[in-house]
Amino acid sequence: MTRAEIRAAISLAAIYMFRMLGLFLILPVFSIYARDLPDATPALIGLAISAYGLTQAIFQIPFGIWSDRFGRKPLIVIGLLMFTAGSVMAAVTDSIYGIVAGRALQGAGAVAGVVMALAADLTQEEHRTKAMALIGISIGISFAFSMVAGPVLAGWIGVKGIFWAVAGLALLGIVVLYTAVPTPRLLRFHRDTEAQPARFASVLANPELVRLDVGIFALHAILTATFVALPLILRDQLHMDMPEHWKIYLPVFVLSMVSMVPFVIVAEKKRQMKPVFLAFILLTAAVDAGLAGLVPTTFGIGVLLYLFFTGFNLLEATLPSMVSKVAPPDLKGTAMGVYSTTQFLGAFVGGAGGGWIQGHYGIPAVFLFCAAMALLWLAVAFGMEKPRHLSSLMVNLGEISASAATDLSARLRGVPGIADAVVVPDDGVVYLKIERERLDRSLLESVLNEAARA
């Protein structure tokens, strides 16, 4: 990657991280804080935690479409200002309804897809995967940091202070956008990062992609519902003050991140993705069932949370990788757009549904709901095909006619190690699905060079 590409990737990852911190920091603390608000009920508390998911799901694809027309940076600024306004609204109100509205406004500033599109504008095709991976890492860091720092910050500055802090982070993101992120010379539509609404039917007709969409919906519903109930157990049954909750979360997260690595290696290197994937869905169901029936002790909760986050981290990491492997090469952006939409809908359903269940049936029922959701996911995933270990590759070919593009696609599919090839003449880009170990790179270069000279 060039220095400009590295700078763009790092600065865009920072902007993404600032925003995700704003969504995640209250997750481990809000259900405790909100119980003292006027008119608060478990259902409204769950809705306040997850309201951002509904508006994020509604607006993320439109934001991407609008950015193609009006520019990436202006749309990112609008989204971050909306996020700031939602954070301020939540900070100044003493009403649970005001916080629900503030969280919904936070989510409506749905700039995630626009940030990805801007990263694509600023990176060459052969380096784009690295930039996207850096942004993906920033999401994981945001979540892990929020679980540990949220309770500590709530003890220092209060939950209102957290809302003020994340408003400041959103404004800092605008500063980073205009001081550190280069301005692209040309805006282009990128099929690998942006959704094509006209092709949604193709994605939704693919049963393997639908299984993965169900999976991310269930995973984030389980996560959000869990954190409607879990902080209450730590405070009310383990008698841990909120600022002390990090003492549970920190070791659990560190151990879970280390523990998942061998299983990722087995899944990827040993070609055992399906059995590992199914086993960790089952583990998630078993942990939630354990949380429902456990008489809480610090050790018992710690062990179950360690198992929960080991499973969550592995599944969260493998799901988008599997979408990338399964999606047709020219529909990766569309498949990821649908996937992200279902992810945020899952967060909304988990928070709202978990709060309602807690209010009517108690905390153990929330965990039983999560276990049932995991078992339903397991049933859907059980019929999945064994994932092929494919990678995406893009090549900027330049101008090519439609007839030559069709001929080139057929020739590329005949190259050993190429599972699928799509040449888009309007973009002048070749989208490939490859098996890296089998790929005949010299033959691939020969075919592409011949096409470029034609």
Side-chain angles (χ1 to χ4, degrees):
M1 295 177 73
T2 66
R3 291 181 64 183
E5 287 175 322
I6 293 172
R7 186 180 74 175
I10 292 174
S11 53
L12 288 171
I15 293 170
Y16 208 111
M17 186 163 62
F18 293 158
R19 187 175 179 278
M20 297 312 293
L21 284 171
L23 297 176
F24 289 147
L25 274 170
I26 75 158
L27 191 59
V29 299
F30 187 76
S31 59
I32 294 174
Y33 163 78
R35 288 204 304 187
D36 296 327
L37 294 175
D39 301 320
T41 65
L44 286 172
I45 291 170
L47 183 61
I49 291 173
S50 64
Y52 79 91
L54 179 61
T55 49
Q56 176 89 16
I58 292 170
F59 287 105
Q60 66 154 350
I61 290 176
F63 258 76
I65 295 171
W66 295 332
S67 77
D68 289 331
R69 181 175 180 182
F70 301 110
R72 312 289 191 218
K73 287 189 175 182
L75 263 294
I76 292 175
V77 170
I78 291 170
L80 291 176
L81 288 176
M82 292 173 69
F83 186 91
T84 301
S87 302
V88 171
M89 181 183 296
V92 300
T93 185
D94 290 318
S95 164
I96 186 67
Y97 297 103
I99 295 178
V100 170
R103 290 285 282 175
L105 186 54
Q106 281 184 325
V111 299
V114 187
V115 170
M116 294 291 194
L118 181 54
D121 289 331
L122 295 170
T123 53
Q124 302 171 72
E125 282 83 358
E126 56 267 32
H127 298 314
R128 193 166 299 154
T129 301
K130 301 171 189 175
M132 299 305 170
L134 188 58
I135 294 173
I137 290 170
S138 75
I139 300 172
I141 292 172
S142 301
F143 181 71
F145 179 81
S146 296
M147 292 299 101
V148 176
V152 176
L153 288 173
W156 287 350
I157 61 177
V159 172
K160 284 181 176 289
I162 291 177
F163 282 123
W164 281 115
V166 299
L169 286 176
L171 294 176
L172 179 59
I174 296 175
V175 175
V176 172
L177 180 67
Y178 280 99
T179 59
V181 180
T183 299
R185 293 190 299 271
L186 179 67
L187 294 184
R188 294 177 53 193
F189 181 83
H190 305 278
R191 295 169 188 263
D192 59 316
T193 60
E194 296 183 71
Q196 306 170 63
R199 305 291 300 277
F200 284 159
S202 299
V203 170
L204 294 173
N206 185 320
E208 297 305 308
L209 289 175
V210 170
R211 284 190 177 96
L212 298 174
D213 294 336
V214 170
I216 196 61
F217 176 94
L219 185 63
H220 278 259
I222 291 167
L223 174 70
T224 313
T226 295
F227 277 92
V228 169
L230 180 64
L232 301 176
I233 291 179
L234 298 183
R235 191 184 79 165
D236 297 342
Q237 299 185 41
L238 297 185
H239 307 293
M240 295 181 67
D241 292 334
M242 188 165 59
E244 303 297 309
H245 290 187
W246 70 270
K247 295 178 180 178
I248 291 279
Y249 295 134
L250 179 59
V252 159
F253 250 97
V254 172
L255 289 173
S256 67
M257 292 297 291
V258 173
S259 298
M260 67 173 273
V261 172
F263 295 101
V264 172
I265 293 172
V266 169
E268 292 285 354
K269 302 297 184 183
K270 304 296 184 181
R271 303 295 193 260
Q272 296 297 314
M273 178 64 79
K274 181 175 179 178
V276 169
F277 188 72
L278 295 178
F280 274 83
I281 299 173
L282 183 60
L283 174 65
T284 302
V287 168
D288 277 303
L291 286 169
L294 180 73
V295 176
T297 65
T298 302
F299 178 77
I301 291 292
V303 169
L304 288 176
L305 284 183
Y306 157 69
L307 294 173
F308 177 85
F309 281 115
T310 301
F312 175 84
N313 290 331
L314 184 138
L315 294 167
E316 178 82 355
T318 55
L319 276 165
S321 173
M322 292 170 70
V323 171
S324 180
K325 290 177 171 65
V326 170
D330 61 330
L331 286 179
K332 181 181 173 183
T334 305
M336 288 304 301
V338 174
Y339 171 89
S340 297
T341 297
T342 54
Q343 171 183 328
F344 288 114
L345 284 175
F348 170 70
V349 169
W356 184 87
I357 290 169
Q358 181 202 335
H360 285 77
Y361 303 105
I363 286 177
V366 177
F367 295 121
L368 290 176
F369 162 75
C370 293
M373 183 75 73
L375 290 174
L376 176 62
W377 176 14
L378 181 65
V380 171
F382 195 80
M384 66 187 286
E385 296 179 2
K386 183 178 179 180
R388 297 180 65 183
H389 289 261
L390 303 175
S391 301
S392 297
L393 180 64
M394 290 174 293
V395 180
N396 190 0
L397 188 65
E399 187 175 344
I400 185 172
S401 67
S403 58
T406 301
D407 178 65
L408 178 59
S409 296
R411 293 182 62 195
L412 287 169
R413 292 189 190 103
V415 175
I418 293 183
D420 197 4
V422 176
V423 182
V424 182
D426 292 341
D427 299 344
V429 175
V430 180
Y431 297 91
L432 302 172
K433 283 292 183 66
I434 63 172
E435 296 179 78
R436 291 190 181 277
E437 297 83 357
R438 294 185 56 241
L439 181 62
D440 188 333
R441 293 185 180 276
S442 60
L443 181 55
L444 171 60
E445 291 178 6
S446 176
V447 172
L448 291 174
N449 288 335
E450 184 179 338
R453 290 194 300 267

mmCIF file of all heavy atoms in Angstrom, residues 11-37:
data_model
loop_
_atom_site.group_PDB
_atom_site.id
_atom_site.type_symbol
_atom_site.label_atom_id
_atom_site.label_comp_id
_atom_site.label_asym_id
_atom_site.label_seq_id
_atom_site.Cartn_x
_atom_site.Cartn_y
_atom_site.Cartn_z
ATOM 1 N N SER A 11 -7.039 6.538 9.086
ATOM 2 C CA SER A 11 -7.924 7.626 9.506
ATOM 3 C C SER A 11 -9.394 7.232 9.386
ATOM 4 O O SER A 11 -10.211 7.573 10.252
ATOM 5 C CB SER A 11 -7.622 8.894 8.706
ATOM 6 O OG SER A 11 -7.654 8.656 7.318
ATOM 7 N N LEU A 12 -9.748 6.500 8.338
ATOM 8 C CA LEU A 12 -11.142 6.045 8.200
ATOM 9 C C LEU A 12 -11.481 5.006 9.268
ATOM 10 O O LEU A 12 -12.605 4.988 9.784
ATOM 11 C CB LEU A 12 -11.380 5.487 6.801
ATOM 12 C CG LEU A 12 -11.428 6.533 5.684
ATOM 13 C CD1 LEU A 12 -11.457 5.871 4.311
ATOM 14 C CD2 LEU A 12 -12.624 7.469 5.847
ATOM 15 N N ALA A 13 -10.520 4.156 9.610
ATOM 16 C CA ALA A 13 -10.748 3.205 10.702
ATOM 17 C C ALA A 13 -10.986 3.946 12.015
ATOM 18 O O ALA A 13 -11.823 3.536 12.835
ATOM 19 C CB ALA A 13 -9.559 2.257 10.833
ATOM 20 N N ALA A 14 -10.263 5.056 12.216
ATOM 21 C CA ALA A 14 -10.462 5.857 13.438
ATOM 22 C C ALA A 14 -11.868 6.446 13.476
ATOM 23 O O ALA A 14 -12.539 6.421 14.522
ATOM 24 C CB ALA A 14 -9.416 6.962 13.509
ATOM 25 N N ILE A 15 -12.335 6.981 12.340
ATOM 26 C CA ILE A 15 -13.686 7.539 12.283
ATOM 27 C C ILE A 15 -14.720 6.459 12.587
ATOM 28 O O ILE A 15 -15.677 6.668 13.352
ATOM 29 C CB ILE A 15 -13.937 8.173 10.906
ATOM 30 C CG1 ILE A 15 -13.045 9.406 10.726
ATOM 31 C CG2 ILE A 15 -15.415 8.555 10.736
ATOM 32 C CD1 ILE A 15 -13.045 9.963 9.316
ATOM 33 N N TYR A 16 -14.528 5.302 11.987
ATOM 34 C CA TYR A 16 -15.450 4.184 12.217
ATOM 35 C C TYR A 16 -15.452 3.809 13.702
ATOM 36 O O TYR A 16 -16.503 3.572 14.303
ATOM 37 C CB TYR A 16 -15.001 2.994 11.369
ATOM 38 C CG TYR A 16 -16.102 2.061 10.956
ATOM 39 C CD1 TYR A 16 -16.508 1.957 9.634
ATOM 40 C CD2 TYR A 16 -16.752 1.247 11.887
ATOM 41 C CE1 TYR A 16 -17.515 1.097 9.244
ATOM 42 C CE2 TYR A 16 -17.759 0.382 11.506
ATOM 43 C CZ TYR A 16 -18.133 0.309 10.183
ATOM 44 O OH TYR A 16 -19.136 -0.536 9.810
ATOM 45 N N MET A 17 -14.260 3.784 14.297
ATOM 46 C CA MET A 17 -14.143 3.392 15.698
ATOM 47 C C MET A 17 -14.799 4.412 16.613
ATOM 48 O O MET A 17 -15.475 4.047 17.591
ATOM 49 C CB MET A 17 -12.678 3.211 16.075
ATOM 50 C CG MET A 17 -12.469 2.660 17.473
ATOM 51 S SD MET A 17 -10.808 1.999 17.744
ATOM 52 C CE MET A 17 -9.838 3.479 17.507
ATOM 53 N N PHE A 18 -14.642 5.702 16.322
ATOM 54 C CA PHE A 18 -15.284 6.732 17.148
ATOM 55 C C PHE A 18 -16.796 6.506 17.193
ATOM 56 O O PHE A 18 -17.418 6.615 18.255
ATOM 57 C CB PHE A 18 -15.001 8.126 16.590
ATOM 58 C CG PHE A 18 -13.561 8.554 16.680
ATOM 59 C CD1 PHE A 18 -13.064 9.542 15.851
ATOM 60 C CD2 PHE A 18 -12.700 7.961 17.591
ATOM 61 C CE1 PHE A 18 -11.745 9.935 15.927
ATOM 62 C CE2 PHE A 18 -11.373 8.350 17.678
ATOM 63 C CZ PHE A 18 -10.895 9.344 16.837
ATOM 64 N N ARG A 19 -17.353 6.204 16.048
ATOM 65 C CA ARG A 19 -18.801 6.023 15.983
ATOM 66 C C ARG A 19 -19.238 4.750 16.706
ATOM 67 O O ARG A 19 -20.237 4.746 17.435
ATOM 68 C CB ARG A 19 -19.253 5.989 14.528
ATOM 69 C CG ARG A 19 -20.764 5.963 14.362
ATOM 70 C CD ARG A 19 -21.159 6.044 12.904
ATOM 71 N NE ARG A 19 -22.607 6.004 12.769
ATOM 72 C CZ ARG A 19 -23.313 4.875 12.781
ATOM 73 N NH1 ARG A 19 -22.711 3.713 12.913
ATOM 74 N NH2 ARG A 19 -24.629 4.914 12.657
ATOM 75 N N MET A 20 -18.500 3.661 16.509
ATOM 76 C CA MET A 20 -18.887 2.412 17.151
ATOM 77 C C MET A 20 -18.748 2.495 18.667
ATOM 78 O O MET A 20 -19.526 1.887 19.403
ATOM 79 C CB MET A 20 -18.044 1.260 16.594
ATOM 80 C CG MET A 20 -18.231 1.004 15.106
ATOM 81 S SD MET A 20 -19.961 0.931 14.562
ATOM 82 C CE MET A 20 -20.521 -0.561 15.372
ATOM 83 N N LEU A 21 -17.759 3.245 19.150
ATOM 84 C CA LEU A 21 -17.655 3.448 20.597
ATOM 85 C C LEU A 21 -18.917 4.111 21.132
ATOM 86 O O LEU A 21 -19.407 3.774 22.224
ATOM 87 C CB LEU A 21 -16.431 4.310 20.925
ATOM 88 C CG LEU A 21 -15.070 3.622 20.849
ATOM 89 C CD1 LEU A 21 -13.953 4.647 20.984
ATOM 90 C CD2 LEU A 21 -14.946 2.558 21.930
ATOM 91 N N GLY A 22 -19.461 5.044 20.368
ATOM 92 C CA GLY A 22 -20.679 5.724 20.785
ATOM 93 C C GLY A 22 -21.865 4.797 20.910
ATOM 94 O O GLY A 22 -22.764 5.003 21.738
ATOM 95 N N LEU A 23 -21.878 3.738 20.087
ATOM 96 C CA LEU A 23 -22.983 2.786 20.143
ATOM 97 C C LEU A 23 -22.772 1.732 21.228
ATOM 98 O O LEU A 23 -23.728 1.255 21.839
ATOM 99 C CB LEU A 23 -23.150 2.108 18.775
ATOM 100 C CG LEU A 23 -23.529 3.033 17.614
ATOM 101 C CD1 LEU A 23 -23.555 2.259 16.311
ATOM 102 C CD2 LEU A 23 -24.878 3.708 17.860
ATOM 103 N N PHE A 24 -21.515 1.344 21.477
ATOM 104 C CA PHE A 24 -21.234 0.215 22.355
ATOM 105 C C PHE A 24 -20.968 0.586 23.807
ATOM 106 O O PHE A 24 -21.178 -0.242 24.694
ATOM 107 C CB PHE A 24 -20.021 -0.566 21.841
ATOM 108 C CG PHE A 24 -20.270 -1.352 20.583
ATOM 109 C CD1 PHE A 24 -19.252 -1.523 19.647
ATOM 110 C CD2 PHE A 24 -21.493 -1.930 20.329
ATOM 111 C CE1 PHE A 24 -19.462 -2.248 18.496
ATOM 112 C CE2 PHE A 24 -21.723 -2.665 19.168
ATOM 113 C CZ PHE A 24 -20.693 -2.820 18.249
ATOM 114 N N LEU A 25 -20.473 1.805 24.087
ATOM 115 C CA LEU A 25 -20.017 2.112 25.441
ATOM 116 C C LEU A 25 -21.116 1.989 26.490
ATOM 117 O O LEU A 25 -20.841 1.663 27.649
ATOM 118 C CB LEU A 25 -19.409 3.522 25.489
ATOM 119 C CG LEU A 25 -17.927 3.644 25.131
ATOM 120 C CD1 LEU A 25 -17.519 5.103 24.988
ATOM 121 C CD2 LEU A 25 -17.052 2.954 26.177
ATOM 122 N N ILE A 26 -22.361 2.260 26.096
ATOM 123 C CA ILE A 26 -23.422 2.179 27.101
ATOM 124 C C ILE A 26 -23.963 0.766 27.266
ATOM 125 O O ILE A 26 -24.733 0.500 28.197
ATOM 126 C CB ILE A 26 -24.582 3.153 26.801
ATOM 127 C CG1 ILE A 26 -25.445 2.652 25.645
ATOM 128 C CG2 ILE A 26 -24.088 4.560 26.551
ATOM 129 C CD1 ILE A 26 -26.827 3.237 25.653
ATOM 130 N N LEU A 27 -23.559 -0.156 26.382
ATOM 131 C CA LEU A 27 -24.137 -1.500 26.416
ATOM 132 C C LEU A 27 -23.990 -2.174 27.778
ATOM 133 O O LEU A 27 -24.974 -2.726 28.300
ATOM 134 C CB LEU A 27 -23.513 -2.352 25.304
ATOM 135 C CG LEU A 27 -24.163 -3.705 25.006
ATOM 136 C CD1 LEU A 27 -25.623 -3.526 24.598
ATOM 137 C CD2 LEU A 27 -23.395 -4.419 23.897
ATOM 138 N N PRO A 28 -22.805 -2.146 28.410
ATOM 139 C CA PRO A 28 -22.687 -2.862 29.690
ATOM 140 C C PRO A 28 -23.181 -2.097 30.907
ATOM 141 O O PRO A 28 -23.079 -2.610 32.021
ATOM 142 C CB PRO A 28 -21.169 -3.112 29.790
ATOM 143 C CG PRO A 28 -20.555 -1.981 29.053
ATOM 144 C CD PRO A 28 -21.504 -1.643 27.930
ATOM 145 N N VAL A 29 -23.708 -0.889 30.725
ATOM 146 C CA VAL A 29 -24.079 -0.082 31.901
ATOM 147 C C VAL A 29 -25.510 0.462 31.855
ATOM 148 O O VAL A 29 -26.047 0.847 32.903
ATOM 149 C CB VAL A 29 -23.102 1.118 32.085
ATOM 150 C CG1 VAL A 29 -21.677 0.615 32.296
ATOM 151 C CG2 VAL A 29 -23.154 2.078 30.900
ATOM 152 N N PHE A 30 -26.126 0.497 30.697
ATOM 153 C CA PHE A 30 -27.359 1.272 30.583
ATOM 154 C C PHE A 30 -28.523 0.659 31.355
ATOM 155 O O PHE A 30 -29.346 1.389 31.922
ATOM 156 C CB PHE A 30 -27.752 1.456 29.114
ATOM 157 C CG PHE A 30 -28.906 2.388 28.935
ATOM 158 C CD1 PHE A 30 -28.730 3.758 29.042
ATOM 159 C CD2 PHE A 30 -30.184 1.905 28.697
ATOM 160 C CE1 PHE A 30 -29.791 4.628 28.912
ATOM 161 C CE2 PHE A 30 -31.255 2.773 28.554
ATOM 162 C CZ PHE A 30 -31.060 4.140 28.661
ATOM 163 N N SER A 31 -28.625 -0.660 31.371
ATOM 164 C CA SER A 31 -29.789 -1.262 32.033
ATOM 165 C C SER A 31 -29.787 -0.966 33.528
ATOM 166 O O SER A 31 -30.853 -0.931 34.158
ATOM 167 C CB SER A 31 -29.826 -2.774 31.781
ATOM 168 O OG SER A 31 -28.656 -3.395 32.266
ATOM 169 N N ILE A 32 -28.594 -0.751 34.117
ATOM 170 C CA ILE A 32 -28.530 -0.356 35.530
ATOM 171 C C ILE A 32 -28.909 1.114 35.688
ATOM 172 O O ILE A 32 -29.740 1.482 36.530
ATOM 173 C CB ILE A 32 -27.116 -0.605 36.089
ATOM 174 C CG1 ILE A 32 -26.826 -2.101 36.122
ATOM 175 C CG2 ILE A 32 -26.972 0.004 37.483
ATOM 176 C CD1 ILE A 32 -25.406 -2.441 36.519
ATOM 177 N N TYR A 33 -28.307 1.962 34.870
ATOM 178 C CA TYR A 33 -28.561 3.409 34.945
ATOM 179 C C TYR A 33 -30.033 3.734 34.726
ATOM 180 O O TYR A 33 -30.625 4.548 35.455
ATOM 181 C CB TYR A 33 -27.694 4.120 33.906
ATOM 182 C CG TYR A 33 -28.115 5.534 33.589
ATOM 183 C CD1 TYR A 33 -27.813 6.587 34.456
ATOM 184 C CD2 TYR A 33 -28.817 5.825 32.422
ATOM 185 C CE1 TYR A 33 -28.202 7.887 34.159
ATOM 186 C CE2 TYR A 33 -29.195 7.119 32.116
ATOM 187 C CZ TYR A 33 -28.900 8.147 32.983
ATOM 188 O OH TYR A 33 -29.280 9.429 32.697
ATOM 189 N N ALA A 34 -30.651 3.088 33.751
ATOM 190 C CA ALA A 34 -31.983 3.505 33.309
ATOM 191 C C ALA A 34 -33.084 3.115 34.277
ATOM 192 O O ALA A 34 -34.189 3.662 34.208
ATOM 193 C CB ALA A 34 -32.278 2.916 31.930
ATOM 194 N N ARG A 35 -32.807 2.199 35.197
ATOM 195 C CA ARG A 35 -33.874 1.775 36.117
ATOM 196 C C ARG A 35 -34.362 2.913 36.998
ATOM 197 O O ARG A 35 -35.481 2.878 37.515
ATOM 198 C CB ARG A 35 -33.373 0.628 36.995
ATOM 199 C CG ARG A 35 -33.229 -0.677 36.256
ATOM 200 C CD ARG A 35 -33.306 -1.868 37.167
ATOM 201 N NE ARG A 35 -32.323 -1.831 38.250
ATOM 202 C CZ ARG A 35 -32.127 -2.852 39.084
ATOM 203 N NH1 ARG A 35 -32.845 -3.957 38.973
ATOM 204 N NH2 ARG A 35 -31.222 -2.768 40.049
ATOM 205 N N ASP A 36 -33.523 3.941 37.177
ATOM 206 C CA ASP A 36 -33.910 5.058 38.042
ATOM 207 C C ASP A 36 -34.543 6.215 37.263
ATOM 208 O O ASP A 36 -34.874 7.249 37.856
ATOM 209 C CB ASP A 36 -32.681 5.576 38.799
ATOM 210 C CG ASP A 36 -32.101 4.531 39.745
ATOM 211 O OD1 ASP A 36 -32.892 3.743 40.288
ATOM 212 O OD2 ASP A 36 -30.864 4.502 39.912
ATOM 213 N N LEU A 37 -34.713 6.063 35.953
ATOM 214 C CA LEU A 37 -35.319 7.130 35.156
ATOM 215 C C LEU A 37 -36.836 7.098 35.305
ATOM 216 O O LEU A 37 -37.437 6.019 35.419
ATOM 217 C CB LEU A 37 -34.942 6.975 33.681
ATOM 218 C CG LEU A 37 -33.462 7.162 33.324
ATOM 219 C CD1 LEU A 37 -33.239 6.862 31.843
ATOM 220 C CD2 LEU A 37 -33.002 8.580 33.639
#
